[in-house]
C-alpha cells in the first residue's frame, strides 16, 4: 500500500503537473522580476519574496516547451528543495488533490533517458485526467542542464 | 526548585565576569600599584563566587573564594602583587574558565584545582610576610568558634556605646529549615530585614561566608536594633523557611562577660598586629594599610559588599539581551515588506491629494527610516567579541617564549555579521601565535638588531567596501625569501628553476601550502607545519582571502579580507537600459561624463583618456546584455570610474540614480557564480536590484 500524499496541481499549456505540497512554500501572483544576466535562458531572474531574494525559472523553458506571454492566471510556485528556494513560473495553479502513491506509475521510457529524469511518474486520476508528477531535486539539478546544453551545441 | 531557568543566565554572566577579570588582571599587571583595579577585580570575583555558590557549583565557588582571599590582602595593601601571584591568579582564571565551559556543556563544573588552591593558600599564608598570617589568624579564629564568637575591640566599643545610649542590643541565633534549597538567599533576606531596622555589628559565620552558603544551617549575629524584641522576632520568623530564631537581649553585664572571655584572644591578635607594624615599619604604605585594616575591616561585613558588585553587574546585564538570530532574520524580512507598503501608501497619498494622509505617510516614512537603521544594525556584532581574548593569549604566549610583546588593537568596534564573527576566531589565533612565535624575535636578537626589546604586534580591523580587513602586523624579523624558497624546493612545492622567477608575493603565498614550516625548531606553539594552510582554507571557505607582505628585518603583515555576508554598504545606484544596478561606492573612484567622440578604439577594445593615462571603457549594457532603452542616442555618456587594486576602468551607464545604503542579499543557492554579480539588494520600492562586482569585471 502506498501512502496518501497531498499534491499541488498546476498546468503548463494543456498538461497538468503535480508537486508534493510538502515542498511547496507558497504560491504567488506574478511580481516584478529582476532579470539576472549571464545565466540559463529559462532563469527569468529574481523576485523579492517578503524580503528574501528568490530566483524564478520558467518551467516551460526548463522543460523545453515554448514560452508564452504571462497572463493574469500566471503564478509563481515557490518550492523549497534541499534548502534551495526557487520559484516556478506556471500557467495556472488552482488545485490541491489527495493522491495515493500507488497510483503513480513510472515515467514512460520512450521519451529518452535525460528528459525522464525530472519526471517522477504519471498518475491517472478520475477518468481522463493524467497528472505528471515532478521529481523536484532533478528539476533543479544544474548538472543535467549543463549536459543538455552541451548536447544542444 | 528549578535551577535550569537560571543556568543560562549564570553561564552568560559568569562568562562576562571572567572576561572582565581577565581584562582587569591585564590592566593590573601594567599598573600593579593601582588598588582601584584590584577593587574591581575583587567585586567581579566576589559576584562570581556568590553566583556559583547559589547555583551549587561548589568547586567554582571555593576556587573563587581562594582568589578572593589573595585579592583581599592586595586591596588592603597587605600584599604586593608580584609575578608569582599574577601567574597563579591567571592560572586560577583559566581553571575557572574551564569549569564554566564544562557547565556550559552540561557538566557539573568540577575540576581538580588542588594545586592552584594550594598555591593561592601559600600566598595567603605568608610566603609574603606576617601580614598574611594575621589575616589568616582572624579568618581561622572566626571559623573555629561555633556558637560563641569573639568581638574585636571596635565592635565591642560599638555595642557598649549603643547600650549606654539606650538602643537595645540583641544576640540572634537563626536556624534555617533543613529542606531549604537556597539557604544563602534566606540568610540574605534575614540580613536585609535586619539592616532595615538596625545594624548588624558582627555575624558568625561572616556575611561573605553566609552569602556563599558556607555555613551549616544556623548563624548568629550581634545586632543593634531600633525595634523591640517582640517585633524583631515577628520580623525574622515571617521570612519563610526559617526553622527558629532565638533572640537574647545583651546588656552591659553580659557584654563585659563576653569581652573578658575574648580578652585573651584579643591580646594575641593585637600582638600579631603589633608585630606586623614592626616588621613593616620600613615600608610606610604597609603600616598605613595595617592601620586601615584594623579600623575599616570590622565595619565591612555590616555593609553587604556583594550589593555593589551585583548591582553593577545587573546594570551591565540589563543593557543587552540575547536573541535568536532567526528571529532577527524574520524581523528583517517583515520590515522589508513594510517598506514596500510604505512606498505604495506614498503613491496613494499623492494620488488622492489628501493633506492629512500625506502628512501621516510622511511621518511614517521618517519613523520607518529610523526603524530600518536599527533593524539593519541588529545583526552586526563588534569584532571586539573576538579580539577581547587576544591580549591575555599574547601575554601568556610571550611569557612562555620569554619574549616581550606589546599587542596594539585598533578598530575593535568594527562591526561584522555575527556568522562571520563566529568563524574567524580560530584563524586569527593561528596568525597571532605565528606572529609571536616566528615573527617577533627573542629579546637578545631584538637588541642585537638595534630594536627595542619589546616587540609590537598590531591587530587592526576596518571596513573597506563590502569587506572587512583584519591586519596582523609585527615588527619582527620578517619573512626570509631565501629560506622559504629553500624549504619549498626541498619539499617539492616548487622547482628550483621556477623559484627565481617568483615574485615576493608568490613566495609568501608558499607559506600557506599544506605541510610547510620554516621554523628551525618545532615548538609547541607553532611550527608543526599545520596552521597556515588551515588558516587559508578556513578564510577561503568564508569567501575571504589572506595576503602577506613582509620586509626582511623589519616585520611582516598578514592581511585577512573577509566579506560581509549580510551587511549594509554604501552603493551608487545606476540605470542601465530599463534596469537598475548597484555599484559598491568603495570601488568607485569618480563619476563623470564622457563625449562619445573621445572614446578611442585600440586593437578592438575601447579606451578613454583619464588623467595622465588611458583606461579601458566598457558599456554595462553590453556586458549584461541589457535591453536597450528607447531613448534617443546621445553623444555623451555617464561614466563611472572604478578601481581594482592599481588598475582603473570605466563603465558606461545610462543614468546615475543616486547614492544609497543597501543591504546585501545573496541570490540564493540556485544561482551561484553569476558573472559580474556579487549579490542583490531590495530597493525602497520593493524591486530587486543586482549588485555589480567590479572586481570580476576588471581583469
Amino acid at each position: 500500500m502506498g501512502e496518501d500524499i497531498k499534491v499541488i496541481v498546476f498546468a503548463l499549456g494543456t498538461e497538468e503537473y503535480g508537486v508534493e505540497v510538502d515542498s511547496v512554500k507558497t504560491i504567488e501572483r506574478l511580481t516584478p522580476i529582476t532579470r539576472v544576466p549571464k545565466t540559463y535562458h529559462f532563469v527569468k531572474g529574481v523576485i523579492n519574496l517578503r524580503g528574501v531574494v528568490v530566483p524564478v525559472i520558467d518551467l516551460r523553458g526548463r522543460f523545453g516547451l515554448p514560452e508564452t506571454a504571462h497572463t493574469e492566471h500566471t503564478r509563481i510556485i515557490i518550492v523549497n528543495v534541499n534548502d534551495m528556494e526557487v520559484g516556478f513560473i506556471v500557467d495556472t495553479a488552482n488545485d490541491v488533490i489527495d493522491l495515493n502513491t500507488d497510483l503513480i506509475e513510472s515515467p514512460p521510457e520512450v521519451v529518452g533517458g535525460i528528459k525522464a529524469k525530472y519526471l517522477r511518474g504519471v498518475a491517472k486520476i478520475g477518468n481522463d485526467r493524467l497528472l505528471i508528477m515532478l521529481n523536484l531535486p532533478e528539476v533543479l539539478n544544474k548538472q543535467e542542464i549543463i549536459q543538455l546544453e552541451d548536447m544542444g551545441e | 526548585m528549578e535551577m535550569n531557568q537560571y543556568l543560562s543566565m549564570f553561564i552568560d554572566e559568569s562568562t562576562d565576569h571572567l572576561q572582565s577579570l581577565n581584562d582587569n588582571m591585564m590592566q593590573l599587571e601594567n599598573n600593579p600599584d593601582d588598588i582601584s583595579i584590584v577593587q574591581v577585580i575583587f567585586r567581579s570575583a566576589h559576584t562570581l563566587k556568590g553566583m556559583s555558590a547559589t547555583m551549587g557549583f561548589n568547586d567554582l565557588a571555593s576556587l573563587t573564594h581562594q582568589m578572593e582571599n589573595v585579592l583581599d590582602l592586595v586591596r588592603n595593601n597587605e600584599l604586593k602583587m608580584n609575578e608569582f601571584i599574577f601567574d597563579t591568579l591567571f592560572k586560577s582564571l583559566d581553571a575557572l574558565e574551564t569549569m564554566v565551559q564544562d557547565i556550559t556543556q552540561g557538566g557539573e563544573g568540577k575540576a581538580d584545582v588542588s594545586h592552584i588552591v594550594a598555591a593561592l593558600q601559600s600566598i595567603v599564608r605568608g610566603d609574603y610576610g606576617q601580614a598574611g598570617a594575621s589575616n589568616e589568624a582572624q579568618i581561622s579564629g572566626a571559623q573555629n568558634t561555633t556558637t560563641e564568637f569573639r568581638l574585636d575591640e571596635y565592635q565591642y566599643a560599638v555595642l557598649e556605646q549603643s547600650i549606654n545610649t539606650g538602643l537595645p542590643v540583641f544576640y540572634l541565633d537563626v536556624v534555617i529549615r533543613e529542606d531549604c534549597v537556597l539557604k544563602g538567599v534566606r540568610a540574605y533576606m534575614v540580613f536585609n530585614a535586619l539592616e532595615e531596622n538596625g545594624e548588624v555589628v558582627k555575624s558568625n559565620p561572616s556575611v561573605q561566608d553566609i552569602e556563599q552558603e558556607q555555613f551549616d544551617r544556623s548563624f548568629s549575629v550581634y545586632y543593634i536594633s531600633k525595634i523591640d524584641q517582640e517585633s524583631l522576632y515577628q520580623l525574622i520568623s515571617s521570612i519563610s523557611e526559617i526553622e527558629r530564631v532565638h533572640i537574647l537581649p545583651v546588656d552591659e553585664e553580659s557584654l563585659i562577660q563576653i569581652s573578658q572571655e575574648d580578652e585573651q584572644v584579643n591580646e594575641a591578635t593585637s600582638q600579631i598586629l603589633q608585630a606586623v607594624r614592626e616588621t613593616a615599619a620600613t615600608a610606610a604604605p604597609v603600616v598605613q594599610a595595617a592601620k586601615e585594616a584594623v579600623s575599616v575591616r570590622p565595619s565591612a561585613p555590616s555593609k553587604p559588599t556583594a550589593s555593589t558588585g551585583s548591582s553593577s553587574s545587573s546594570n551591565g546585564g540589563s543593557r543587552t539581551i540575547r536573541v535568536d538570530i532567526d528571529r532577527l532574520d524574520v524581523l528583517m524580512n517583515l520590515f522589508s515588506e513594510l517598506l514596500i507598503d510604505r512606498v505604495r501608501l506614498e503613491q496613494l497619498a499623492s494620488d488622492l491629494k489628501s493633506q492629512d494622509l500625506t502628512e501621516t505617510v510622511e511621518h511614517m516614512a521618517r519613523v520607518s527610516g529610523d526603524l530600518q537603521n536599527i533593524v539593519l544594525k541588529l545583526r552586526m556584532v563588534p569584532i571586539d567579541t573576538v579580539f577581547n581574548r587576544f591580549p591575555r593569549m599574547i601575554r601568556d604566549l610571550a611569557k612562555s617564549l620569554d619574549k616581550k610583546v606589546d599587542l596594539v588593537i585598533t578598530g575593535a568596534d568594527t562591526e561584522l555579521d555575527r556568522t562571520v564573527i563566529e568563524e574567524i576566531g580560530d584563524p586569527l589565533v593561528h596568525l597571532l601565535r605565528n606572529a609571536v612565535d616566528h615573527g617577533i624575535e627573542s629579546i637578545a636578537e631584538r637588541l642585537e638588531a638595534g630594536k627595542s626589546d619589546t616587540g609590537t604586534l598590531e591587530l587592526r580591523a576596518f571596513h573597506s567596501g563590502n569587506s572587512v580587513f583584519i591586519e596582523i602586523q609585527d615588527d619582527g624579523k620578517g619573512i626570509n625569501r631565501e629560506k622559504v624558497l629553500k624549504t619549498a624546493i626541498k619539499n617539492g612545492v616548487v622547482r628550483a628553476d621556477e623559484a627565481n622567477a617568483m615574485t615576493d608575493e608568490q613566495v609568501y603565498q608558499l607559506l600557506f601550502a599544506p605541510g610547510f614550516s620554516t621554523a628551525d625548531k618545532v615548538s609547541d606553539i607553532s611550527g608543526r607545519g599545520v596552521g597556515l594552510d588551515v588558516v587559508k582554507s578556513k578564510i577561503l571557505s568564508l569567501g575571504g582571502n589572506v595576503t602577506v607582505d613582509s620586509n626582511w628585518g623589519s616585520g611582516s603583515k598578514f592581511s585577512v579580507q573577509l566579506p560581509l555576508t549580510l551587511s549594509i554598504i554604501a552603493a551608487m545606484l545606476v540605470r542601465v537600459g530599463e534596469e537598475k544596478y548597484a555599484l559598491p561606492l568603495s570601488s568607485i573612484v569618480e563619476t563623470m561624463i564622457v563625449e562619445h567622440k573621445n572614446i578611442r578604439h585600440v586593437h578592438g577594445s575601447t579606451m578613454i583618456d583619464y588623467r595622465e593615462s588611458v583606461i579601458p571603457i566598457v558599456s554595462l549594457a553590453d556586458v549584461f546584455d541589457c535591453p536597450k532603452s528607447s531613448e534617443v542616442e546621445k553623444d555623451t555618456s555617464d561614466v563611472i570610474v572604478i578601481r581594482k587594486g592599481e588598475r582603473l576602468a570605466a563603465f558606461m551607464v545610462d543614468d546615475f540614480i543616486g547614492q544609497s545604503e543597501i543591504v546585501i542579499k545573496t541570490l540564493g543557492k540556485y544561482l551561484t557564480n553569476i558573472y559580474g554579480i556579487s549579490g542583490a539588494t531590495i530597493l525602497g520600492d520593493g524591486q530587486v536590484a543586482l549588485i555589480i562586482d567590479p572586481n570580476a569585471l576588471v581583469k
Side-chain angles (χ1 to χ4, degrees):
Chain A
M1 261 308 272
E3 48 175 339
D4 284 325
I5 53 171
K6 276 197 185 298
V7 173
I8 293 204
V9 180
F10 60 89
L12 295 177
T14 53
E15 291 180 50
E16 283 190 304
Y17 293 80
V19 285
E20 271 190 64
V21 87
D22 291 347
S23 46
V24 175
K25 216 179 132 199
T26 60
I27 299 173
E28 301 284 323
R29 285 174 183 277
L30 207 57
T31 53
I33 299 174
T34 302
R35 190 183 64 92
V36 176
K38 309 267 178 193
T39 180
Y40 312 109
H41 67 95
F42 55 82
V43 175
K44 290 296 136 190
V46 287
I47 56 162
N48 168 15
L49 180 74
R50 283 177 276 285
V52 181
V53 176
V54 179
V56 288
I57 66 179
D58 193 323
L59 265 198
R60 283 177 163 267
R62 174 68 182 87
F63 294 161
L65 302 168
E67 293 180 21
T68 55
H70 299 150
T71 69
E72 59 172 307
H73 297 294
T74 306
R75 293 288 181 275
I76 301 176
I77 300 181
I78 311 287
V79 298
N80 188 332
V81 183
N82 303 334
D83 280 336
M84 258 194 297
E85 268 187 16
V86 178
F88 293 150
I89 301 176
V90 300
D91 291 356
T92 57
N94 46 19
D95 205 358
V96 181
I97 59 164
D98 293 307
L99 186 72
N100 193 291
T101 47
D102 280 352
L103 291 173
I104 304 173
E105 288 169 34
S106 300
E109 284 296 327
V110 281
V111 233
I114 294 173
K115 189 184 177 183
K117 259 192 179 175
Y118 57 72
L119 300 182
R120 180 171 161 193
V122 178
K124 194 178 175 201
I125 41 171
N127 289 330
D128 275 338
R129 231 169 139 195
L130 280 181
L131 191 65
I132 305 161
M133 292 296 295
L134 293 181
N135 183 355
L136 283 181
E138 285 300 326
V139 175
L140 299 181
N141 188 343
K142 282 185 277 187
Q143 206 61 43
E144 186 199 351
I145 300 161
I146 293 161
Q147 282 174 14
L148 268 172
E149 289 190 343
D150 286 349
M151 282 170 66
E153 277 166 13
Chain B
M1 191 161 158
E2 184 58 56
M3 282 292 197
N4 280 338
Q5 54 178 319
Y6 301 116
L7 190 61
S8 65
M9 207 194 300
F10 168 77
I11 290 168
D12 287 349
E13 285 193 12
S14 47
T15 319
D16 289 349
H17 278 293
L18 280 175
Q19 184 59 46
S20 104
L21 281 170
N22 253 320
D23 291 349
N24 286 310
M25 284 292 287
M26 302 282 294
Q27 267 188 39
L28 185 65
E29 200 173 26
N30 293 331
N31 306 303
D33 295 325
D34 192 342
I35 295 300
S36 66
I37 303 177
V38 184
Q39 297 284 12
V40 177
I41 298 175
F42 185 84
R43 276 204 295 277
S44 264
H46 186 74
T47 316
L48 187 62
K49 179 178 77 169
M51 287 191 316
S52 31
T54 316
M55 295 296 293
F57 300 119
N58 292 328
D59 286 10
L60 206 60
S62 65
L63 179 55
T64 334
H65 179 70
Q66 299 296 340
M67 285 176 66
E68 219 181 306
N69 284 347
V70 173
L71 290 167
D72 195 34
L73 295 182
V74 177
R75 73 172 176 163
N76 289 316
N77 276 331
E78 291 169 37
L79 187 63
K80 276 255 176 251
M81 290 302 281
N82 62 25
E83 205 168 312
F84 178 73
I85 303 179
F86 271 119
D87 279 349
T88 318
L89 287 176
F90 273 127
K91 266 185 220 154
S92 325
L93 287 182
D94 287 342
L96 290 176
E97 220 165 308
T98 324
M99 288 192 235
V100 172
Q101 261 164 21
D102 183 44
I103 293 167
T104 313
Q105 282 149 14
E108 297 277 295
K110 293 204 183 299
D112 182 23
V113 289
S114 50
H115 58 288
I116 298 175
V117 171
L120 286 169
Q121 278 169 343
S122 81
I123 294 171
V124 174
R125 254 198 315 275
D127 295 331
Y128 298 90
Q130 297 184 13
S134 81
N135 186 283
E136 184 71 7
Q138 280 179 353
I139 290 170
S140 61
Q143 278 167 351
N144 287 342
T145 41
T146 47
T147 48
E148 288 292 326
F149 55 101
R150 294 179 181 90
L151 294 166
D152 64 24
E153 244 173 283
Y154 169 80
Q155 290 159 341
Y156 177 76
V158 168
L159 290 182
E160 198 177 29
Q161 208 180 352
S162 314
I163 293 168
N164 288 340
T165 52
L167 282 171
V169 173
F170 299 109
Y171 172 81
L172 281 87
D173 214 350
V174 183
V175 181
I176 295 174
R177 283 229 313 260
E178 208 167 345
D179 55 354
C180 177
V181 181
L182 292 173
K183 51 184 182 171
V185 175
R186 293 299 169 206
Y188 181 74
M189 288 170 74
V190 171
F191 274 91
N192 239 2
L194 288 177
E195 270 159 20
E196 272 170 30
N197 297 294
E199 195 188 340
V200 177
V201 176
K202 171 95 184 169
S203 79
N204 176 48
S206 75
V207 178
Q208 282 165 5
D209 283 343
I210 291 172
E211 272 172 14
Q212 326 152 31
E213 302 200 347
Q214 295 199 347
F215 65 109
D216 189 20
R217 275 170 53 215
S218 66
F219 58 92
S220 32
V221 291
Y222 277 107
Y223 178 63
I224 303 173
S225 176
K226 290 183 206 144
I227 50 178
D228 57 33
Q229 188 173 350
E230 180 85 0
S231 27
L232 186 63
Y233 183 80
Q234 292 290 336
L235 186 74
I236 307 287
S237 26
S238 68
I239 295 167
S240 47
E241 294 188 303
I242 300 292
E243 192 166 277
R244 80 189 138 78
V245 50
H246 186 62
I247 302 178
L248 264 180
V250 180
D251 53 20
E252 219 169 330
E253 257 175 65
S254 50
L255 201 60
I256 291 168
Q257 209 178 340
I258 297 166
S259 83
Q260 275 168 351
E261 278 170 19
D262 285 355
E263 207 168 355
Q264 225 176 335
V265 183
N266 276 339
E267 215 167 301
T269 318
S270 60
Q271 269 171 5
I272 294 170
L273 285 172
Q274 191 63 36
V276 174
R277 284 187 190 132
E278 278 163 17
T279 39
T282 42
V286 183
V287 179
Q288 193 69 30
K291 278 182 190 157
E292 265 174 23
V294 175
S295 60
V296 176
R297 290 200 54 195
S299 66
S302 67
K303 289 184 202 144
T305 15
S307 70
T308 39
S310 60
S311 72
S312 70
S313 82
S314 67
N315 284 345
S318 65
R319 289 189 51 76
T320 54
I321 54 161
R322 281 148 216 268
V323 182
D324 192 327
I325 202 99
D326 290 342
R327 290 193 196 169
L328 289 183
D329 288 345
V330 173
L331 180 66
M332 181 88 118
N333 292 342
L334 287 175
F335 184 74
S336 312
E337 279 291 275
L338 202 63
L339 276 188
I340 299 166
D341 291 344
R342 189 190 89 193
V343 174
R344 182 90 191 103
L345 265 181
E346 279 169 351
Q347 275 172 6
L348 285 175
S350 72
D351 290 351
L352 290 172
K353 294 198 170 48
S354 153
Q355 180 70 25
D356 285 352
L357 182 58
T358 312
E359 274 175 17
T360 316
V361 170
E362 271 172 8
H363 181 249
M364 187 185 147
R366 276 199 300 277
V367 173
S368 66
D370 292 348
L371 190 61
Q372 180 176 22
N373 279 335
I374 291 177
V375 170
L376 294 182
K377 278 180 187 148
L378 279 181
R379 273 180 63 103
M380 306 295 274
V381 182
I383 202 165
D384 190 40
T385 49
V386 181
F387 281 6
N388 61 17
R389 60 181 157 124
F390 291 154
R392 172 70 203 285
M393 187 192 85
I394 297 298
R395 173 206 171 267
D396 289 359
L397 203 57
K399 229 175 164 66
S400 71
L401 289 167
D402 211 14
K403 293 177 181 180
K404 282 190 181 171
V405 181
D406 199 2
L407 179 67
V408 183
I409 295 180
T410 47
D413 54 350
T414 306
E415 291 194 326
L416 255 172
D417 194 76
R418 229 200 115 85
T419 44
V420 180
I421 290 269
E422 279 161 8
E423 299 290 333
I424 52 164
D426 288 344
L428 288 183
V429 168
H430 262 300
L431 288 176
L432 285 169
R433 290 172 84 95
N434 259 312
V436 176
D437 194 18
H438 300 319
I440 289 170
E441 314 93 324
S442 65
I443 294 173
E445 278 177 77
R446 286 189 69 88
L447 291 174
E448 202 173 308
K451 299 179 185 177
S452 85
D453 61 345
T454 309
T456 309
L457 187 57
E458 283 185 62
L459 182 59
R460 281 188 293 263
F462 55 91
H463 271 276
S464 178
N466 51 357
S467 299
V468 163
F469 287 85
I470 301 171
E471 292 180 347
I472 295 161
Q473 184 165 21
D474 65 66
D475 65 346
K477 55 179 176 272
I479 298 168
N480 188 339
R481 181 191 157 101
E482 299 311 317
K483 203 157 124 192
V484 171
L485 280 178
K486 223 167 90 185
T487 319
I489 293 166
K490 197 176 78 190
N491 293 357
V493 182
V494 287
R495 289 200 316 274
D497 52 327
E498 288 173 335
N500 287 331
M502 290 174 83
T503 64
D504 283 356
E505 177 65 15
Q506 284 170 324
V507 172
Y508 300 148
Q509 284 294 328
L510 292 175
L511 294 173
F512 296 103
F516 189 95
S517 175
T518 55
D520 296 326
K521 56 177 186 227
V522 171
S523 67
D524 65 339
I525 287 105
S526 55
R528 282 155 302 194
V530 292
L532 282 183
D533 61 320
V534 178
V535 169
K536 179 150 189 178
S537 61
K538 183 85 196 174
I539 290 169
L540 288 182
S541 77
L542 286 171
N545 196 13
V546 54
T547 53
V548 194
D549 192 20
S550 179
N551 273 322
W552 175 238
S554 55
S556 29
K557 180 169 89 180
F558 286 76
S559 187
V560 178
Q561 182 183 3
L562 289 167
L564 304 168
T565 51
L566 180 113
S567 164
I568 313 148
I569 59 163
M572 171 71 108
L573 292 176
V574 297
R575 194 171 55 80
V576 182
E578 296 298 310
E579 298 173 343
K580 289 172 184 170
Y581 288 90
L583 269 156
L585 215 53
S586 55
S587 39
I588 297 178
V589 180
E590 71 172 300
T591 57
M592 55 191 205
I593 294 173
V594 169
E595 289 185 42
H596 286 171
K597 62 173 190 225
N598 287 344
I599 297 176
R600 306 163 180 217
H601 294 265
V602 182
H603 195 67
S605 54
T606 47
M607 313 282 275
I608 51 165
D609 286 326
Y610 177 73
R611 306 275 155 97
E612 309 289 83
S613 59
V614 179
I615 60 169
I617 182 168
V618 288
S619 160
L620 277 187
D622 292 345
V623 173
F624 292 132
D625 309 318
C626 296
K628 289 277 181 217
S629 65
S630 51
E631 282 173 47
V632 279
E633 280 287 309
K634 296 182 290 186
D635 47 8
T636 57
S637 277
D638 289 346
V639 163
I640 291 179
V641 180
I642 61 134
R643 174 204 299 278
K644 181 199 183 185
E646 302 292 300
R647 313 180 61 174
L648 297 170
F651 293 154
M652 259 191 281
V653 300
D654 286 342
D655 209 355
F656 301 133
I657 298 170
Q659 201 177 313
S660 172
E661 303 261 297
I662 58 165
V663 186
I664 301 175
K665 305 210 171 207
T666 67
L667 289 175
K669 280 187 190 166
Y670 186 69
L671 293 177
T672 49
N673 296 322
I674 305 288
Y675 172 75
I677 300 294
S678 63
T681 187
I682 293 173
L683 299 177
D685 60 0
Q687 286 242 29
V688 180
L690 299 180
I691 302 168
I692 295 172
D693 179 10
N695 290 342
L697 296 181
V698 182
K699 301 240 169 46

